[in-house]
Amino acid sequence: MPDAPVLLTEDADGVRTLTLNRPWRKNAIDHELWLTLADTLRHTATDRSVRAVVITGAGGAFCSGADISAPDNNHPVYRMRELTDVALLLHELPMPTVAKVRGVAVGAGWNLALGCDLVVATPEARFSQIFVRRGLSLDLGGSWLLPKLVGLQQAKRLALLAETLDGDQARELGLVTWVVPEDEIDTYVSDLAGRLAAGPPIALAQTKALLNAGADHTLREALAGEATAQGLNFATADAPEALAAFAEKREAQFTGRWTVHRPAMPGRENSEKTRGTDA
């Protein structure tokens, strides 16, 4: 129900399980959940009782991405900062992380899973870099994660075509670590997280940091570029058009038209009223 906590936290035997809890929206992440998730990750990073973290979703879905239908009057720069905080906190979390994926993991939801160290999914899970269907570009670290996981060409395929993959197809590309039957995934992840929690915490933290640093040092630059691009996307007609088309169950008509109203120059008020904003 909408009055329930948007993020459930459960601790057991050194494993902290974070459950996105907006099942009526397939766990799409709104402003409140972004802030709650960031705050929880921030506190988890310094909690020595936590040895491993599992991220999952309630109601048979992992996460359907950022909730673009939720009212949010914040400037896009501030909205993107919320995503940036979560991506960096998850990436820099010292303990191992596991994404347990049932159902959909699309857009920022898929990149949230990819930001974890290991991904366990069911064969029925569905993955998509859905951004272009919404008139948007990659975010939550997708432009940094995908090329490193699958190579540049496959990353472009996934991002430009927004194809939907099942669990087995995602595993074949190296985007899922294990595919486990639906009736076995809870036990499998519990055992996996328990093994990680039982490991040497400092060595695991150092190993994770070394692997992350060895891959690249430019995540902050990638996230800054994504935030800039996403701000530009929100200033076009395509993002609201995609939302309207989704609500009306029709194909979106993308134009790339610029919708930000420019201030009128002194003495040119009348001409500005008749000028379009396609430039």
Side-chain angles (χ1 to χ4, degrees):
M1 296 296 292
D3 291 334
V6 295
L7 183 68
L8 305 178
T9 302
E10 180 183 358
D11 291 336
D13 300 321
V15 177
R16 175 162 292 172
T17 299
L18 304 179
T19 303
L20 309 180
N21 191 38
R22 301 184 74 231
W24 61 94
R25 295 289 299 160
K26 293 185 178 179
N27 302 314
I29 307 179
D30 64 353
H31 173 70
E32 180 185 3
L33 184 47
W34 282 123
L35 295 182
T36 304
L37 186 55
D39 188 58
T40 302
L41 291 173
R42 193 175 291 112
H43 285 88
T44 298
T46 59
D47 189 339
R48 294 185 182 179
S49 70
V50 180
R51 305 280 292 269
V53 174
V54 175
I55 298 180
T56 191
F62 183 76
C63 177
S64 59
D67 193 346
I68 59 176
S69 70
D72 191 343
N73 294 324
N74 289 314
H75 191 283
V77 168
Y78 298 126
R79 297 206 297 267
M80 291 307 302
R81 190 172 296 167
E82 295 173 2
L83 278 71
T84 296
D85 287 347
V86 168
L88 285 172
L89 286 164
L90 180 60
H91 181 74
E92 296 172 355
L93 205 65
M95 58 282 295
T97 55
V98 180
K100 180 169 66 174
V101 182
R102 288 183 170 94
V104 297
V106 301
W110 191 5
N111 292 336
L112 180 66
L114 293 179
C116 294
D117 301 313
L118 303 168
V119 180
V120 184
T122 66
E124 298 80 17
R126 292 294 179 267
F127 302 90
S128 177
Q129 294 289 329
I130 201 170
F131 298 97
V132 294
R133 297 189 199 172
R134 304 292 180 254
L136 302 172
S137 51
L138 300 172
D139 61 27
L140 207 72
S143 68
W144 186 84
L145 289 162
L146 282 173
K148 287 169 177 55
L149 291 169
V150 300
L152 183 58
Q153 189 174 75
Q154 290 296 334
K156 288 180 177 179
R157 163 199 164 188
L158 294 169
L160 298 179
L161 296 176
E163 294 177 319
T164 298
L165 308 180
D166 61 26
D168 289 319
Q169 291 170 319
R171 180 181 55 183
E172 289 172 4
L173 286 174
L175 296 167
V176 165
T177 321
W178 297 280
V179 175
V180 179
E182 167 67 30
D183 60 353
E184 298 177 15
I185 190 170
D186 289 334
T187 300
Y188 190 95
V189 171
S190 178
D191 177 70
L192 172 63
R195 288 158 55 198
L196 291 169
I202 301 301
L204 287 176
Q206 294 298 310
T207 299
K208 175 176 175 176
L210 286 168
L211 289 170
N212 286 341
D216 205 302
H217 289 277
T218 61
L219 176 59
R220 289 182 180 275
E221 295 174 359
L223 288 164
E226 291 176 357
T228 299
Q230 209 71 299
L232 295 175
N233 293 323
F234 281 119
T236 72
D238 288 346
E241 160 63 10
L243 179 58
F246 178 75
E248 297 165 11
K249 294 181 170 54
R250 60 174 176 81
E251 291 294 322
Q253 301 297 315
F254 297 129
T255 65
R257 184 167 58 85
W258 187 254
T259 57
V260 173
H261 295 289
R262 293 171 292 185
M265 297 293 290
R268 298 178 60 188
E269 290 84 359
N270 291 334
S271 62
E272 287 292 336
K273 290 180 181 179
T274 60
R275 178 181 291 181
T277 57
D278 294 321

